[in-house]
Amino acid sequence: KTPRATPAIELKPLPQNSKPIVTMAPAATAPTPEMATLSLQGNAPKGFAKRDALCAAELEVQAMWEREKVFESNPSYDSTGEKEEKFIVTFPYPYSNGHLHLGHAFSLTKAVFRAQFERNRGKNSLFPFAFHCTGMPIQAAANKLKSEMALYGTPPKFPEEDPEIRAKMEADIAAAAKAKADKAAATGNKAKGGKTKLVQKSGTGIVRQWNILMKMVPEDEIPQFSDPTFWLKYFPPIGVEHMKRFGSGVDWRRAFITTAVNGYYDAFIRWQFNVLREKGKVLFGKRNNVFSIVDGQVCADHDRSEGEGVGPQEYVLIKLKVLTPEHGQERHGKMEKLLKSDEGKKGVYLVPATLRPETMYGQTNCFILPTGEYGAYYIDATDEVFIMSARSARGLACQAYDAANDVYFTKEFGKITCLETFTGDELLGLPLKAPNSTYEKVYTLPLLSISMGKGTGVVTSVPSDAPDDYVALKALQDKPDFAAKYGITPDMVDPFEVVPIISIEGYGNASAVFMCEKLGIKSPNEKAKLTQAKDETYLKGFTLGVMTVGPYSGKKVSEAKPIIKDEMIAAGQAHLYFEPESKVVSRTNDECVVASTDQWYLAYGEESWCSAVKKHVLDGDKFNAYDATSLEKYGATLDWLKEWACTRQFGLGTFLPWDKQWVIESLSDSTIYMAYYTVSHYLQGENNLNGLESMSPENIKVNDLTDDVFNFIYRKEFPLPEGSAIPSETLTKMRDEFRYWYPMDLRVSAKDLIPNHLTMALYNHAAVWDDEPDLWPRGYYTNGHIMVDAEKMSKSKGNFLMMLETVNNYSADATRFACADAGDTLDDANFSRDTANAAIISLSNEATWIKEILLDTDISTLRSGNELNFMDKVFENETNRLVKATETCFETMQFREGLQKGWFEMMIAKNQYKSWCQDSGIAMHEGLVRKWAESLIILICPICPHWSETMWKDLGKDGMAVKALWPTAGVEDKLLTRQAKFLRDTVKNFRASVGKAKKGWKMATILVAMDYPQWKIDALLWMQSTYDKASGSFPNTFMKDLKGWSAANVSDKKKIKLVMQFVSFMKREVDDVGEMGMDIKCPFDQLTILNESLAYIKSQLNLEELSVGCVDDAELAVPERTAQNVSPGKPVLWIR
């Protein structure tokens, strides 16, 4: 047979700054322009031949797919007009501000694998794709680049490029790191290692947008990226090329980009929001949202460089009024002056932020960080002065004091007047009036563990119910020298006893004291124990606690808390205050606050809307989450996700149709675009990502896409729009195509989109199609993130892999193989480069073997016909079993397990068959080998389609592998599977026995038992009596029941342990092979199998003399010690 010619390959370092990474020699039929840029040239370095051959074959296959338009899917109907079974899977469009990386590729494979699997099952499978450009990231990057060029020239000459300036900058960073460490040491905390080199910095260091782009694009093109729309023209087409090289199987006619640049998509989003408004889902008003003061707008998840998924946290500011200092301490000079000032005379308050206003009855003091930096800020709304951290004052200046009357804490949004600054030490020892406290006067005391990055830097102390407060107060009371170090006199701490305020059953009326004594906590430095104590007391206090003081004594804490909070606010003793749950940083590197702003918002959480979505998600017949943990996360998100700010005042996107000063943000224009895929090829077509009207396949104009047009296409019982310039036939085709593909069968994503995009998509489908729940998504699959070689992907570690770079290094199929092997759970998966390398070898070697046997070998040397020996039957049965097992795995998105079945176990089956035949001197059966090979090619096709396509052609099969039907598998013969396992396990166990045999021992006999001893029979009969045939399982109390049965029925107490071990082993056997695992007699002829396989076993064990015999054969005279180990189905190798 003439070997197929393949071009040789020249390996080059991945050129990050050029579009064509690989180039391709002209084919007989010219490929599309994108594929024409792909080729392999020159001579391959030694050692990469197998990889290079895979790459060369992949390029040929991809060119053929392009020519044949293999992945273009259109509606198909049977002869009766009924639509043929379809499957549409989608993937969240990636943000198009750079190249796709391995993280994209890993999550992407889950969709790609499933789409191809369903195609091989004979379904009309569609996998569309698009690119997201909405929001702040591109705009922010373009603005930053423009600023760099304005400041430093084009190309820019950055200051750090000067060695002297760089040295000074690094010295400043080192000094800042040291200062941070010194400050942390002074407060008893451990500082994180400070990086002192600019090259190590990220986020807080110097990151130049020019330098980022230098790694991705030619330098002479960089200036064009100061225009944000240029990004939209540049990166999406490259993304298409990279996806094609990955073999993604996308219908590219349906691809598009978002934002108003694409008029077609823009019109679709405007229609969507008009429908949402029509249905009362889009509202307007003041709402508290995470906000960037620098950007001047709400900062949603996709606008953030840090803090995705973080929302606003509500606190209550408690107003502790500062009284006139009375101890004559010099450090109080600034405070005394402030109290006498015009502003101070109206009230100066320390304002701790608390989550537990109901506990204020138990206040004994207030805590301050001695080294903290505080300010006295004038509050216009109340004509008072608040003492708090600068960070919290910055946030308070953006919040409403009285939202109903549009009154903010300060006159000017985002700006607050600082009257004075204080160190924490200057605030210690101040007398305070604490609202609701049983003490007339309390004092400010030092607490070294306060974080200035959380709350206001001021902490109110309730030692009865806060373990940290109790331990800190006790330390000051028990160690006068420690208190004196901070100028704290005995009268500031000693008179203040714990005030019981909440009773908790099992914890008493001072739960913090109880937990500290229970855990033996003596010091504020015992952080782990304190965290445990706090978590337990807070949870129990809220859920089980009962108030014992105040007007609501006897009321449950959970009921009293909101009432007490409202009363304190109404009395002017407290105010609401918000900040992000944890740190949030915008793409413009601004630490975000929570702001109360006028905002268009989606009313997520509204009772009827939320209930409808929750009902859908929890109905297993309508929605498949593929994982119980994922399903719980959807439930949790639906419980907390509330009103969502859906617009911004600048950035890329679609303008809100009825209020064009607002732009729809990136999480809100990406919720039902899966429906747009169903008609986008009528509007835009292939190679028209930006939606140029001149390239519209149906010559449709953007202005013709009215709401009436979209209503007719997407909503039932809406009439054809009158006077539309779009032909009615075209509109009807578009409507029918939407109805053909919807509902979406599967959406694949990383797990971090559950709390936002995925749940929002459910909400929006439920709103737009509220009268057609059958059109809501049918399934979501989510996976964990990807690590590389068991480490988080990191540029500093050199393991941050780009998609195309990885494909170039290992081939597309080997990359996909390693992605499949990486894992399928919500836990982070591991992409192993060793696995990718091993895949190259495995794919290459298997292709060679199949072709040698079925193409290069004289077929007459193989057997044929209907007569099959034992191992023929085993081989055929294993093929049938693994075809079905792989199908089940792929259907449930368990691709790692599917790879195990469909590749590795198929290899094991073939290798055992080959060895058995070779060692037995029997030719392999040509029909069975061919069936196995053809099955293997299709089983691996969802994962390695290029390899499968190449092999399919090499074997002379008609059509294409990606269109070939899933192998037809006969029903697995469970008994034959057990016989195969019997032989396989026997040989494995015997190898261990041979390795332990004494030198010189040459005679070996395989000892077989026909019957169990009576005690094992009794145990098996008991197992049979507890087994539920309907469910195919034992009861949950099986092991407990076994102990009871053994104690009552095994007279020889020494045998109870043996019975327990035997039954445990047999239970695993039943789990593996089913009910037959409990048979009293071995259900197959062990002697026949062993004798038929004797030559194979001898060869595998390298034994000169081997026979088979029954353990109870008197002539063998088997020693009792050996005989007792033999049981039915468990032979023993007796070497002597």
Side-chain angles (χ1 to χ4, degrees), residues 282-550:
V282 187
L283 305 175
F284 188 80
K286 285 203 185 301
R287 291 296 181 272
N288 291 297
N289 289 289
V290 177
F291 186 90
S292 166
I293 294 177
V294 170
D295 297 342
Q297 62 179 1
V298 171
C299 186
D301 279 5
H302 289 178
D303 302 327
R304 303 174 187 177
S305 61
E306 180 182 343
E308 188 170 341
V310 174
Q313 171 70 63
E314 179 187 281
Y315 291 89
V316 178
L317 291 184
I318 306 299
K319 295 167 64 176
L320 308 181
K321 187 170 185 177
V322 180
L323 306 176
T324 302
E326 54 196 23
H327 287 75
Q329 295 183 346
E330 186 178 341
R331 61 183 173 180
H332 294 155
K334 282 201 261 184
M335 180 57 71
E336 290 172 342
K337 184 178 178 181
L338 178 64
L339 289 170
K340 293 174 183 177
S341 69
D342 290 342
E343 295 87 357
K345 287 177 182 177
K346 296 164 184 174
V348 178
Y349 298 88
L350 270 71
V351 284
T354 182
L355 296 169
R356 305 191 67 193
E358 77 282 4
T359 66
M360 293 304 101
Y361 299 103
Q363 292 178 90
T364 60
N365 61 280
C366 172
F367 285 124
I368 291 289
L369 180 67
T371 58
E373 296 175 358
Y374 299 84
Y377 296 94
Y378 182 67
I379 306 301
D380 297 286
T382 62
D383 202 16
E384 296 167 338
V385 178
F386 286 1
I387 308 293
M388 60 203 309
S389 67
R391 184 194 65 83
S392 57
R394 181 173 181 257
L396 191 68
C398 299
Q399 295 175 23
Y401 167 76
D402 179 0
N405 293 302
D406 201 23
V407 178
Y408 281 73
F409 280 96
T410 59
K411 285 182 179 178
E412 189 173 353
F413 179 87
K415 293 186 179 180
I416 191 166
T417 302
C418 181
L419 302 173
E420 185 59 272
T421 60
F422 298 90
T423 64
D425 181 71
E426 291 172 324
L427 298 175
L428 293 176
L430 289 174
L432 308 169
K433 174 64 177 174
N436 286 354
S437 174
T438 57
Y439 292 102
E440 281 295 316
K441 178 171 54 180
V442 298
Y443 291 89
T444 52
L445 304 179
L447 181 63
L448 305 184
S449 59
I450 291 176
S451 168
M452 297 300 288
K454 192 79 174 173
T456 63
V458 182
V459 177
T460 187
S461 173
V462 184
S464 60
D465 289 79
D468 290 280
D469 298 350
Y470 172 69
V471 171
L473 180 62
K474 283 286 290 177
L476 289 164
Q477 291 174 336
D478 296 344
K479 300 175 181 178
D481 291 344
F482 175 66
K485 176 182 175 183
Y486 292 98
I488 303 301
T489 58
D491 63 306
M492 296 178 186
V493 291
D494 290 346
F496 298 92
E497 299 294 332
V498 171
V499 180
I501 56 171
I502 295 173
S503 175
I504 307 172
E505 185 177 352
Y507 294 78
N509 59 5
S511 59
V513 179
F514 171 81
M515 285 301 298
C516 288
E517 291 175 350
K518 176 183 174 181
L519 299 176
I521 302 172
K522 303 293 184 184
S523 165
N525 295 325
E526 297 180 74
K527 290 182 171 52
K529 287 185 178 180
L530 281 169
T531 299
Q532 179 186 347
K534 182 175 79 171
D535 291 346
E536 193 166 331
T537 54
Y538 282 22
L539 176 63
K540 299 294 184 184
F542 183 75
T543 56
L544 303 176
V546 176
M547 301 296 299
T548 60
V549 298

Side-chain angles (χ1 to χ4, degrees), residues 612-885:
V613 175
K614 191 173 286 189
K615 180 182 178 182
H616 175 74
V617 168
L618 296 178
D619 187 338
D621 293 330
K622 295 180 179 178
F623 183 81
N624 186 357
Y626 291 91
D627 179 89
T629 303
S630 294
L631 189 60
E632 289 175 7
K633 288 180 182 291
Y634 292 115
T637 300
L638 288 166
D639 287 338
W640 73 257
L641 181 61
K642 305 301 179 187
E643 299 159 343
W644 182 265
C646 58
T647 55
R648 302 290 176 266
Q649 291 191 302
F650 68 94
L652 301 177
T654 293
F655 288 105
L656 199 62
W658 61 88
D659 191 352
K660 290 186 168 54
Q661 66 174 312
W662 299 94
V663 177
I664 298 167
E665 60 91 31
S666 61
L667 277 166
S668 300
D669 81 337
S670 56
T671 53
I672 65 164
Y673 70 89
M674 313 84 183
Y676 183 75
Y677 281 133
T678 65
V679 301
S680 59
H681 58 307
Y682 291 98
L683 304 175
Q684 297 182 224
E686 194 167 8
N687 299 320
N688 189 19
L689 295 172
N690 290 17
L692 296 176
E693 285 187 340
S694 60
M695 297 179 65
S696 172
E698 300 289 334
N699 197 29
I700 295 172
K701 305 302 180 186
V702 169
N703 288 339
D704 294 333
L705 291 175
T706 63
D707 283 359
D708 287 342
V709 164
F710 282 123
N711 282 333
F712 173 73
I713 294 170
Y714 289 117
R715 300 169 72 183
K716 72 175 182 179
E717 297 178 1
F718 273 77
L720 268 167
E722 293 183 8
S724 175
I726 305 173
S728 58
E729 296 82 2
T730 303
L731 289 172
T732 302
K733 282 194 298 181
M734 293 166 73
R735 183 195 61 186
D736 292 348
E737 179 136 1
F738 166 69
R739 295 279 162 181
Y740 177 87
W741 292 114
Y742 248 55
M744 175 175 59
D745 297 287
L746 175 65
R747 187 156 181 80
V748 170
S749 166
K751 62 184 178 183
D752 52 334
L753 294 191
I754 292 176
N756 44 62
H757 162 72
L758 292 173
T759 304
M760 292 174 183
L762 287 166
Y763 263 119
N764 280 264
H765 277 82
V768 174
W769 293 284
D770 53 356
D771 55 348
E772 293 188 88
D774 287 346
L775 296 182
W776 301 359
R778 299 283 296 167
Y780 283 171
Y781 171 85
T782 51
N783 52 261
H785 299 138
I786 190 72
M787 297 188 294
V788 174
D789 297 333
E791 288 188 316
K792 184 178 178 180
M793 278 210 304
S794 166
K795 291 175 183 176
S796 63
K797 292 179 181 177
N799 70 341
F800 193 93
L801 304 181
M802 305 309 292
M803 176 195 280
L804 189 62
E805 170 193 17
T806 312
V807 169
N808 285 344
N809 286 339
Y810 303 104
S811 79
D813 279 349
T815 299
R816 292 163 60 123
F817 190 106
C819 283
D821 189 62
D824 299 300
T825 68
L826 287 178
D827 296 330
D828 288 349
N830 180 44
F831 180 91
S832 167
R833 285 180 278 199
D834 286 345
T835 299
N837 276 316
I840 294 171
I841 304 300
S842 186
L843 291 167
S844 301
N845 290 351
E846 213 50 50
T848 299
W849 186 84
I850 291 171
K851 287 187 283 188
E852 283 179 353
I853 293 299
L854 296 179
L855 300 180
D856 299 340
T857 302
D858 185 350
I859 295 298
S860 64
T861 62
L862 301 175
R863 285 184 297 119
S864 60
N866 296 327
E867 187 176 338
L868 304 179
N869 59 39
F870 167 71
M871 190 50 71
D872 289 336
K873 295 174 184 176
V874 166
F875 185 43
E876 183 177 40
N877 191 58
E878 277 293 275
T879 301
N880 288 334
R881 179 182 74 83
L882 292 171
V883 165
K884 186 60 181 173

Side-chain angles (χ1 to χ4, degrees), residues 1112-1128:
D1112 54 3
D1113 186 340
E1115 293 185 8
L1116 286 174
V1118 180
E1120 175 59 27
R1121 185 175 177 182
T1122 301
Q1124 67 182 3
N1125 294 323
V1126 186
S1127 61

